Amino acid sequence: MEMSKRKALLYGTILTFGLGTLYLGLSMKNSHPPEEPNSWDLIIFTQTWPQTLCYTWEENNPHHTCNFPKQKNLWTVHGLWPTKLGTIGPAFCNKSISFDPKALYSIEEQIHEYWVDIEQLNNETEVNISKNTISHKKESIWFHEWEKHGTCALTLPSLNSEFEYFNQGIKWSEMYNMKDILEKGDIKVNDTTSLVTDYWKAIESVLKTNAWIECAFKSDTKQQMLLEIRICFDKSLKMVNCNGICGEESDISKDHLLTNCDLNKPILYLDSIPKNQKSSINPGFNE
């Protein structure tokens, strides 16, 4: 009788252990490892129309001044933004990697032509680093773009250094500058009648991919001005559609189109914008 109790206890223990192991195995099979917080799907390459950016910058503060590229009507680089579809970011992936202006001295001339720091503070036109003029200040676009986005791009072998990150932006600006793309799509500077759908069609006719169109808005006339155009690349640096990217955070949950512009109103694409009252800028990324 005592032996039967022992056997029953042993069998019960084995059964309990077996069921527990089976449950644990099924749980592990059905679970997924936690996602890397700095993972991303594609790179958004953002170009800015300097005239619109300068207008909004100077209207926001009378002490602001602007720095333009030497080549008239050239679109400038805002940034290369590693991005996860359906959300914004990641950003500031490695704060221990500081911006080093010396890493860009060999491409300084191209930086000042294609990746211009348009927004100047307190009438400051340039900041000298020894004999060079790549600003190390936190207010500069280069410092900001590297720390916020470049440190996230480092996981890609082709963008694994500060030099490679900025140099890729220059290459893309030379290959896909929106000055040339829009002209090929029959939209020229000083166009005041084209709708956002016209811009989509023009870009797709040339690049065979879609793009995000970003507008800024004048508070006095409520007119919308062309501010930025964003095209997308996958991790092999092949151009792809931008489907799934988001604008500002309040739009993340919306079934939005690839724009923040009003679809029914024309967009001002001007080489000189009259300064009236303060403008209202609504960038998709506060970058």
Side-chain angles (χ1 to χ4, degrees):
M1 184 67 179
E2 187 66 27
M3 183 63 68
S4 297
K5 287 183 178 180
R6 289 180 179 178
K7 285 183 178 181
L9 182 60
L10 178 61
Y11 291 153
T13 302
I14 293 173
L15 180 61
T16 301
F17 177 79
L19 290 174
T21 303
L22 178 62
Y23 175 77
L24 178 61
L26 290 174
S27 298
M28 293 178 64
K29 183 177 180 181
N30 293 327
S31 65
H32 299 281
E35 191 173 80
E36 166 59 44
N38 292 331
S39 66
W40 48 274
D41 300 312
L42 49 75
I43 298 174
I44 300 174
F45 175 52
T46 299
Q47 297 179 69
T48 299
W49 178 234
Q51 292 293 345
T52 300
L53 179 58
C54 181
Y55 175 86
T56 60
W57 177 244
E58 291 184 343
E59 287 290 288
N60 285 336
N61 189 321
H63 298 294
H64 288 168
T65 58
C66 300
N67 183 34
F68 289 97
K70 294 178 182 178
Q71 184 178 337
K72 184 176 176 59
N73 296 338
L74 186 73
W75 285 65
T76 58
V77 180
H78 184 164
L80 284 64
W81 304 338
T83 304
K84 189 167 183 61
L85 296 174
T87 187
I88 293 175
F92 300 105
C93 295
N94 192 335
K95 294 183 179 180
S96 68
I97 306 177
S98 301
F99 175 70
D100 179 11
K102 296 189 295 295
L104 306 180
Y105 285 170
S106 64
I107 54 172
E108 179 179 4
E109 184 177 345
Q110 297 96 314
I111 287 283
H112 283 299
E113 180 65 12
Y114 295 103
W115 204 318
V116 181
D117 192 5
I118 293 172
E119 298 175 335
Q120 302 293 329
L121 291 170
N122 300 322
N123 296 314
E124 176 187 17
T125 56
E126 58 184 31
V127 177
N128 289 301
I129 304 294
S130 65
K131 64 178 180 178
N132 299 279
T133 57
I134 299 292
S135 174
H136 73 295
K137 299 186 74 172
K138 290 186 177 182
E139 294 85 0
S140 78
I141 189 173
W142 311 302
F143 183 106
H144 179 75
E145 293 302 307
W146 169 250
E147 293 217 329
K148 186 170 184 178
H149 303 290
T151 57
C152 299
L154 285 172
T155 56
L156 203 63
S158 55
L159 298 175
N160 65 358
S161 71
E162 181 181 322
F163 173 84
E164 293 297 342
Y165 174 78
F166 283 93
N167 195 46
Q168 188 61 57
I170 291 170
K171 289 180 181 178
W172 279 341
S173 183
E174 292 176 326
M175 295 172 63
Y176 306 113
N177 198 278
M178 281 300 148
K179 170 184 178 292
D180 304 320
I181 303 298
L182 294 178
E183 286 180 356
K184 290 177 181 178
D186 294 324
I187 296 180
K188 296 179 173 56
V189 178
N190 292 321
D191 185 304
T192 60
T193 61
S194 294
L195 304 174
V196 68
T197 51
D198 298 315
Y199 283 89
W200 280 330
K201 291 176 184 177
I203 294 168
E204 191 158 12
S205 70
V206 178
L207 298 181
K208 311 306 178 187
T209 57
N210 60 22
W212 179 287
I213 311 298
E214 187 77 7
C215 287
F217 304 89
K218 295 184 70 176
S219 60
D220 55 340
T221 64
K222 307 305 180 184
Q223 292 170 293
Q224 54 189 8
M225 304 172 290
L226 186 59
L227 176 64
E228 291 185 340
I229 294 179
R230 301 167 187 166
I231 56 179
C232 299
F233 295 82
D234 64 17
K235 290 185 176 181
S236 67
L237 304 188
K238 176 185 176 182
M239 192 181 299
V240 294
N241 284 322
C242 288
N243 299 332
I245 70 171
C246 292
E248 61 183 320
E249 293 186 27
S250 59
D251 288 338
I252 288 178
S253 62
K254 294 171 63 176
D255 183 19
H256 58 76
L257 297 169
L258 293 173
T259 188
N260 74 326
C261 309
D262 188 325
L263 300 182
N264 300 312
K265 293 182 179 179
I267 299 172
L268 302 182
Y269 177 28
L270 304 177
D271 65 2
S272 179
I273 301 173
K275 294 176 175 61
N276 297 306
Q277 300 175 19
K278 287 187 177 181
S279 62
S280 174
I281 182 171
N282 184 20
F285 285 73
N286 185 16
E287 300 298 285

